[in-house]
Amino acid sequence: MHTIGTLARRTGTKVQTIRYYEQIGLMPEPGRTEGGQRRYGDVDLDRLAFIRHSRQLGFPLEAIRELLDLSDHPARDCGAADSIARRQLREVETRIARLQALRSELERMIGECRGGTASECRVLEVLRDHSECLADDHDAIG
Amino acid sequence: MHTIGTLARRTGTKVQTIRYYEQIGLMPEPGRTEGGQRRYGDVDLDRLAFIRHSRQLGFPLEAIRELLDLSDHPARDCGAADSIARRQLREVETRIARLQALRSELERMIGECRGGTASECRVLEVLRDHSECLADDHDAIG
DNA sequence: CTTGAACCTATAGTTGCTGTAGCTCTTATC
DNA sequence: GATAAGAGCTACAGCAACTATAGGTTCAAG
Ligand SMILES: [Zn+2]
Ligand SMILES: [Zn+2]
Ligand SMILES: [Zn+2]
Ligand SMILES: [Zn+2]
């Protein structure tokens, strides 16, 4: 039997985060002591490790919910798990592409600034006027 | 004189977002009609375009606040603007590196799954056990 | 003068936590 | 058995940066 603090330490999770996962139904309601403190078993430890590792790989909690559900039903077809992972891969690829475009714009504007006053600053000029950019689109803010 | 809707259309911003920027002090409180509706000038349009373009380049609102302030004081030295941009570049580079690491883990686990039941799924196996990963760290969740 | 689009405020929800206040419980030591 | 530290408890507020909704008012065209 583990306390919430032990689970936290063993998985690198904040205690509040574990309670949050319980609140949104990702972690089960564990047993309690007479005094009302949570006590977990090894199954819970594994489940939390699964959640945390999935988060480290960037999966959103809703995807993790589905992945846990599949993991809980070993006889089901794994197609759903694979398609969630592929969706996540596409998401990561999209973000990389967007960030690479941002990187070149940033490099360019930094490289072009020769210092001086704000009125002469190339960085500020570019920010004022998107037509100074090479890319003709960098939507999808974030 | 422009309505808030015109500003929104011309800059690709939601109307609520403009009001939000006003609330947090990024956009000035504009003049109002007798009936209480906001009316903007061209200066406001330019300011909003600056904000939106900066957001598209990934700058956080607090950085944009400083950039706007510099842009409003043309005689100041531009060093601060450049260092904000360089910080943003470093941030983007960090994120790219992290996402590239995630991409290879995802590619690998997807590539290794041969289908079948959830109990045999390579994707789920890797999620259960980080030691199946090549990287020995992928912290910094998000 | 009517209609309907666009505006207004205020508030709640999004994602995934994190931090705080003000308690209570557990456990080790004496 | 008493005490005190550390860990746990609930409940709520806050972060970033919006987005959505409800329920009402104003503007401008016809
Ligand atoms: Zn400069
Ligand atoms: Zn641009
Ligand atoms: Zn599979
Ligand atoms: Zn891993």
Side-chain angles (χ1 to χ4, degrees):
Chain A
M1 282 302 176
H2 315 289
T3 64
I4 198 170
T6 306
L7 241 71
R9 218 173 331 101
R10 300 260 293 261
T11 59
T13 314
K14 294 253 157 72
V15 166
Q16 298 103 302
T17 305
I18 300 174
R19 291 197 280 246
Y20 169 70
Y21 288 159
E22 179 183 329
Q23 209 181 305
I24 64 170
L26 263 194
M27 285 293 285
E29 290 185 26
R32 300 268 185 155
T33 62
E34 296 248 317
Q37 297 195 357
R38 292 168 177 83
R39 289 297 181 268
Y40 295 94
D42 288 334
V43 175
D44 301 312
L45 184 59
D46 290 346
R47 191 177 176 91
L48 182 56
F50 185 107
I51 294 172
R52 285 269 105 188
H53 194 215
S54 303
R55 286 294 296 129
Q56 290 182 321
L57 288 161
F59 289 93
L61 294 179
E62 280 317 299
I64 296 171
R65 204 187 285 279
E66 296 180 54
L67 290 166
L68 279 167
D69 191 47
L70 272 166
S71 188
D72 287 344
H73 296 89
R76 289 199 196 149
D77 190 279
C78 87
D82 298 11
S83 87
I84 291 170
R86 272 192 293 273
R87 199 200 311 150
Q88 175 62 14
L89 176 57
R90 279 197 304 277
E91 177 67 34
V92 166
E93 280 168 344
T94 306
R95 276 195 241 166
I96 289 173
R98 224 171 51 71
L99 287 171
Q100 281 173 341
L102 296 193
R103 181 175 55 184
S104 25
E105 291 304 344
L106 287 168
E107 276 169 350
R108 205 165 60 89
M109 65 200 245
I110 291 167
E112 283 176 3
C113 182
R114 299 274 153 267
T117 64
S119 60
E120 304 156 339
C121 181
R122 187 67 185 145
V123 169
L124 295 173
E125 271 174 35
V126 174
L127 291 178
R128 260 180 233 121
D129 185 3
H130 169 61
S131 71
E132 302 283 350
C133 286
L134 288 186
D136 41 284
D137 67 318
H138 24 222
D139 22 41
I141 287 177
Chain B
M1 283 301 175
H2 315 289
T3 64
I4 197 170
T6 306
L7 242 69
R9 219 173 331 101
R10 300 259 294 257
T11 60
T13 313
K14 294 252 156 73
V15 165
Q16 297 103 302
T17 304
I18 300 174
R19 291 196 281 245
Y20 168 70
Y21 288 158
E22 179 182 329
Q23 210 180 305
I24 64 170
L26 264 194
M27 286 292 286
E29 290 185 24
R32 302 267 184 155
T33 61
E34 296 249 318
Q37 297 196 356
R38 291 167 177 83
R39 289 296 181 268
Y40 294 95
D42 287 334
V43 175
D44 302 311
L45 184 59
D46 290 346
R47 191 176 177 91
L48 182 55
F50 185 107
I51 295 171
R52 285 270 105 187
H53 195 214
S54 304
R55 286 293 298 130
Q56 291 182 321
L57 288 160
F59 288 93
L61 294 179
E62 279 319 298
I64 296 171
R65 205 186 286 278
E66 296 181 54
L67 291 166
L68 279 167
D69 191 47
L70 272 166
S71 188
D72 287 344
H73 297 89
R76 288 200 197 149
D77 189 278
C78 87
D82 298 11
S83 87
I84 291 170
R86 272 193 294 272
R87 199 200 311 149
Q88 175 63 15
L89 176 58
R90 280 197 303 277
E91 177 67 34
V92 166
E93 281 168 344
T94 306
R95 275 196 241 164
I96 289 173
R98 224 170 53 69
L99 288 171
Q100 281 172 341
L102 296 192
R103 181 175 57 185
S104 29
E105 291 303 345
L106 288 168
E107 277 169 349
R108 205 164 60 89
M109 64 200 245
I110 291 167
E112 283 176 2
C113 184
R114 297 277 154 264
T117 64
S119 59
E120 303 157 338
C121 181
R122 187 67 184 145
V123 169
L124 295 174
E125 270 174 35
V126 174
L127 292 179
R128 261 180 231 120
D129 186 2
H130 169 61
S131 71
E132 301 282 351
C133 285
L134 289 185
D136 41 285
D137 67 316
H138 25 222
D139 21 43
I141 286 176

